[in-house]
Amino acid sequence: MRNPVVPKSLYRYGLVGIASNALVYGVFLALIWSAVPPVWATGMCYGIGLIVSYLANRVWSFESTADHRSDDVVRLTWQARALTASGGSWASATSGHSHLPR
């Protein structure tokens, strides 16, 4: 029995998160198996996860029909900055540590 207080979009949001993570993990394993360096595979999976989860949440979870073009640019800009910052953090954290992947 579904809780009438919790909207169906919250359930769908959770399902999209689980499905997106499972998909991205499968892609990550395939990339690693294909000899793609782990850092590159992680970056590619970040982008894939970002796009898949955004589109699935927009279309299915929240059933949005609004035009989000101006919002999308701002959101994607901040997410690109976060990815760049995390890559820079990884590079600085692994410098001088030859046992860590680069």
Side-chain angles (χ1 to χ4, degrees), residues 39-84:
V39 173
W40 284 97
T42 302
M44 286 186 258
C45 287
Y46 178 85
I48 292 168
L50 176 82
I51 293 166
V52 168
S53 64
Y54 172 76
L55 291 175
N57 280 316
R58 180 177 177 191
V59 172
W60 188 61
S61 299
F62 304 113
E63 300 173 343
S64 176
T65 56
D67 183 13
H68 295 278
R69 283 185 220 146
S70 62
D71 295 339
D72 290 346
V73 171
V74 172
R75 184 181 306 105
L76 291 175
T77 300
W78 280 105
Q79 289 173 337
R81 289 178 180 176
L83 178 61
T84 303

Side-chain angles (χ1 to χ4, degrees), residues 90-98 100 102:
W90 179 258
S92 65
T94 59
S95 64
H97 300 280
S98 59
L100 296 174
R102 294 176 198 248

Side-chain angles (χ1 to χ4, degrees), residues 5-65:
V5 176
V6 180
K8 76 176 182 179
S9 61
L10 183 60
Y11 292 109
R12 289 181 174 190
Y13 183 77
L15 287 173
V16 166
I18 291 168
S20 175
N21 279 309
L23 171 75
V24 169
Y25 185 65
V27 170
F28 178 77
L29 291 177
L31 289 170
I32 295 298
W33 184 78
S34 301
V36 174
V39 173
W40 284 97
T42 302
M44 286 186 258
C45 287
Y46 178 85
I48 292 168
L50 176 82
I51 293 166
V52 168
S53 64
Y54 172 76
L55 291 175
N57 280 316
R58 180 177 177 191
V59 172
W60 188 61
S61 299
F62 304 113
E63 300 173 343
S64 176
T65 56

